[in-house]
Amino acid sequence: MAAVDIDVPVETEPQICNQEDLERLAESFKEQGNAYYSKKDYSQAFNYYTKAIDACPKNASYYGNRAATLMMLCRFREALEDSQQAVRLDDCFMKGHLREGKCHLSLGNAMAANRCFQKVLELEPSNREAQQEKKNAAALLEYQRMADFGFEKRDFRKVVYCMDRALAVASACHRFKILKAECLALLGRYPEAQSVASDILRMDSTNADALYVRGLCLYYEDCIDKAVQFFVQALRMAPDHEKARLACRNAKALKAKKEEGNQAFKNNNYEAAYQLYTEALAIDPNNIKTNAKLYCNRATAGAKLKKVDQAIEDCTSAIKLDDTYIKAYLRRAQCYMDTEQYEEAVRDYEKVYQTEKTSDHKQMLKKAQMELKKSKRKDYYKVLGVGKNATEDEIKKAYRKRALMHHPDRHSSATPEVQKEEEKKFKEVGEAFTVLSDPKKKVRYDNGHDLEDDGCFDGGDFDANNIFRAFFGGHSGGFTFDSSPDSGPGNFFFQFG
């Protein structure tokens, strides 16, 4: 017996034969969409509203409902298109105009939003929602005006303040977010700026403004090579992006000039390095981090050129730009040491050691503290007028000269004030000689020890005349000095008793 083929019925959607059936089907889809919307299942609601639109594309309310769903999904640009289609189909569709206005407002277009809300009020003058949204649109326009004025005056904090309030109304406005991010970057708040730009790039990887801001953050953080990559990418997306073009040019020029200066310094051409760093500093005053390094580099070149005061100023400029810049503190501290400004050096080394507690920094601080302590004692080398590396013979010669110069007998005919001052100097010369002529005392003095505290020297019981007599052979008599106008410190003779 031959096999018989049996057709198995397949379940399909009902065959729609006329417009009335289509409208019933569309209405069914809309009701299902409403049910999902009530449950806050906006994705499913969107699907059913789309089916309703496909079945009956001339119904304004279906577009209006889908627009409401897209707004809940924060897809405001798509919602705007549906709202606009809804009012094209029915110009008296009040909810359509209201939703269009809200989409414009969320996207930052306050003028267009205001026109939509005005249309709603023409259709329904007592509509409180439209009245409130008109106020929001007016406030948004005012925040934009204040932000534009603030940016022009470089009051970037004011701009951030205005944009925060504008975004509370226009949450989907990329333009406001970019402006806020740019100002955060200009304020040095790079992580916040990068976060805003990155959020936009996740949604739109081709956004030239976001690419520019991302590059700007890297540029200001002295990551110039990476910054240039972002600027170039921004220019690919928008060839007429003037800010990206300027930033790219500055970044390349700054890198090139800085590298030229570094190379000149390595070649021991300090004058050229100094000039190149100066030229680099003029390229972009807003690049704080790079300019801090340039100031410190110029200070290093300046120190090599013996421009120590200028080097200190450059280090101070670097620290003003970046108060965490350890190299600038170390360079300035060394300059302070070189110019015997020990209190300032100690202050800088303390700052460094508090930040980085390394053994090297501890030693630098100790050395500065020792020099500060030594600087507050009498400088016996200065008293004798010799250098710190003076030989024993040089110390003796210096003592002979200074002792005779300030000996009280030499000034016996002077005023009491002069006699008192010369007697003081005579005593200091004796003290200096006592210490510097004794190898052990000299070592302890050079190492910063307090000789009186150590019991090596008692200034209270010190007798300068005894030192003088011992030096000149222990004569019991004094000296008689020639007081004629031409007499010098060597014009004396012994008078024996």
Side-chain angles (χ1 to χ4, degrees):
M1 186 173 179
V4 178
D5 291 333
I6 300 174
D7 291 331
V8 179
V10 179
E11 186 177 340
T12 61
E13 289 191 6
Q15 295 295 312
I16 305 302
C17 300
N18 55 53
Q19 185 62 32
E20 189 176 334
D21 288 340
L22 280 172
E23 289 177 359
R24 275 199 301 270
L25 181 62
E27 195 65 18
S28 171
F29 287 142
K30 186 197 81 167
E31 292 302 326
Q32 291 179 75
N34 289 348
Y36 281 115
Y37 189 97
S38 297
K39 296 176 185 177
K40 298 184 180 180
D41 188 345
Y42 302 117
S43 294
Q44 282 288 18
F46 171 81
N47 291 335
Y48 278 97
Y49 290 140
T50 300
K51 288 181 179 183
I53 290 170
D54 290 342
C56 197
K58 299 295 184 182
N59 189 308
S61 67
Y62 298 165
Y63 287 99
N65 285 8
R66 191 168 72 173
T69 304
L70 287 165
M71 290 169 71
M72 298 306 294
L73 292 168
C74 297
R75 292 159 61 178
F76 292 101
R77 293 190 185 281
E78 297 168 77
L80 177 61
E81 291 175 8
D82 274 358
S83 299
Q84 289 173 330
Q85 180 61 16
V87 298
R88 274 196 293 269
L89 292 169
D90 181 0
D91 190 50
C92 294
F93 184 27
M94 186 271 295
K95 286 187 177 180
H97 289 294
L98 187 61
R99 286 167 186 158
E100 181 187 356
K102 286 184 174 181
C103 288
H104 279 307
L105 203 57
S106 293
L107 293 166
N109 193 342
M111 297 291 286
N114 192 61
R115 288 193 294 270
C116 294
F117 299 137
Q118 185 60 43
K119 180 67 175 179
V120 173
L121 292 172
E122 289 171 8
L123 295 169
E124 189 180 305
S126 62
N127 190 299
R128 291 186 178 180
E129 192 173 3
Q131 291 170 354
Q132 180 57 50
E133 295 294 0
K134 266 182 71 72
K135 291 179 182 177
N136 290 339
L140 187 59
L141 284 171
E142 179 59 17
Y143 286 132
Q144 286 181 254
R145 186 195 65 78
M146 291 168 61
D148 290 342
F149 182 77
F151 195 89
E152 185 182 336
K153 297 295 182 183
R154 301 187 66 78
D155 186 353
F156 302 124
R157 286 185 177 80
K158 183 75 170 178
V159 179
V160 171
Y161 170 87
C162 291
M163 287 301 95
D164 279 338
R165 274 138 194 84
L167 285 164
V169 177
S171 59
C173 182
H174 285 182
R175 182 164 46 89
F176 293 167
K177 290 178 181 178
I178 288 295
L179 181 56
K180 175 185 174 180
E182 183 178 0
C183 289
L184 287 171
L186 292 168
L187 288 167
R189 294 160 62 177
Y190 307 122
E192 295 170 77
Q194 288 180 25
S195 177
V196 175
S198 296
D199 285 345
I200 294 172
L201 289 171
R202 273 192 289 272
M203 293 182 282
D204 178 9
S205 62
T206 65
N207 189 299
D209 290 325
L211 290 167
Y212 159 70
V213 170
R214 187 73 182 86
L216 198 65
C217 292
L218 291 165
Y219 172 59
Y220 285 145
E221 289 183 294
D222 200 37
C223 299
I224 292 181
D225 287 335
K226 287 184 179 179
V228 168
Q229 292 175 11
F230 275 93
F231 295 144
V232 169
Q233 194 175 349
L235 289 167
R236 283 201 198 102
M237 298 300 110
D240 60 345
H241 200 297
E242 192 56 37
K243 287 183 177 179
R245 182 179 289 106
L246 177 62
C248 191
R249 185 167 66 242
N250 282 346
K252 289 179 177 179
L254 199 55
K255 181 189 177 188
K257 194 66 71 174
K258 181 183 175 186
E259 288 179 350
E260 282 186 67
N262 291 348
Q263 190 57 51
F265 188 90
K266 287 177 183 176
N267 294 337
N268 299 324
N269 191 347
Y270 304 123
E271 284 285 3
Y274 191 94
Q275 182 58 35
L276 286 163
Y277 291 139
T278 301
E279 291 171 12
L281 281 164
I283 291 172
D284 185 2
N286 294 321
N287 194 319
I288 291 171
K289 207 152 193 174
T290 301
N291 287 345
K293 291 182 179 180
L294 287 168
Y295 273 118
C296 192
N297 286 1
R298 192 171 74 172
T300 306
K304 291 286 187 181
L305 294 167
K306 307 302 181 186
K307 299 178 180 179
V308 184
D309 290 339
Q310 182 61 52
I312 289 172
E313 286 183 23
D314 279 346
C315 289
T316 301
S317 295
I319 290 166
K320 283 181 181 177
L321 293 177
D322 181 1
D323 63 2
T324 66
Y325 193 13
I326 295 298
K327 281 188 178 180
Y329 285 105
L330 289 171
R331 169 57 54 196
R332 188 171 70 174
Q334 185 58 57
C335 289
Y336 282 140
M337 292 290 285
D338 293 342
T339 53
E340 299 185 2
Q341 299 179 66
Y342 299 121
E343 287 188 12
E344 290 82 355
V346 167
R347 188 165 57 244
D348 278 353
Y349 282 131
E350 284 175 341
K351 172 71 175 179
V352 170
Y353 187 62
Q354 286 168 7
T355 306
E356 294 182 358
K357 294 185 182 296
T358 68
S359 57
D360 285 345
H361 295 159
K362 187 176 182 179
Q363 284 301 115
M364 292 174 183
L365 175 58
K366 277 189 171 182
K367 182 179 178 182
Q369 289 171 331
M370 179 64 72
E371 291 300 325
L372 175 60
K373 181 179 177 182
K374 286 161 65 175
S375 72
K376 291 183 176 180
R377 308 170 307 170
K378 289 178 183 176
D379 188 336
Y380 288 142
Y381 290 102
K382 284 186 178 179
V383 169
L384 290 183
V386 296
K388 293 184 179 180
N389 296 319
T391 63
E392 184 178 347
D393 284 343
E394 287 171 337
I395 289 170
K396 286 180 179 179
K397 288 178 182 178
Y399 172 70
R400 176 187 296 274
K401 178 180 177 181
R402 295 295 174 104
L404 294 173
M405 183 185 299
H406 299 297
H407 194 284
D409 288 353
R410 182 174 178 78
H411 304 280
S412 58
S413 60
T415 64
E417 290 78 8
V418 171
Q419 288 183 18
K420 186 175 181 181
E421 181 63 25
E422 292 299 326
E423 186 177 351
K424 177 184 175 184
K425 291 179 179 178
F426 179 67
K427 182 178 180 181
E428 287 178 345
V429 168
E431 288 179 12
F433 180 69
T434 299
V435 172
L436 299 183
S437 62
D438 184 317
K440 289 184 180 179
K441 289 179 183 178
K442 183 176 183 295
V443 168
R444 295 186 66 77
Y445 175 79
D446 287 343
N447 289 333
H449 292 285
D450 192 322
L451 300 179
E452 291 187 15
D453 289 348
D454 293 344
C456 297
F457 181 74
D458 187 352
D461 296 333
F462 176 80
D463 188 338
N465 286 307
N466 287 339
I467 300 298
F468 185 84
R469 283 192 292 270
F471 184 85
F472 285 101
H475 299 289
S476 59
F479 286 98
T480 297
F481 290 87
D482 181 359
S483 58
S484 64
D486 295 330
S487 65
N491 295 332
F492 63 91
F493 60 88
F494 287 107
Q495 179 183 348
F496 298 100

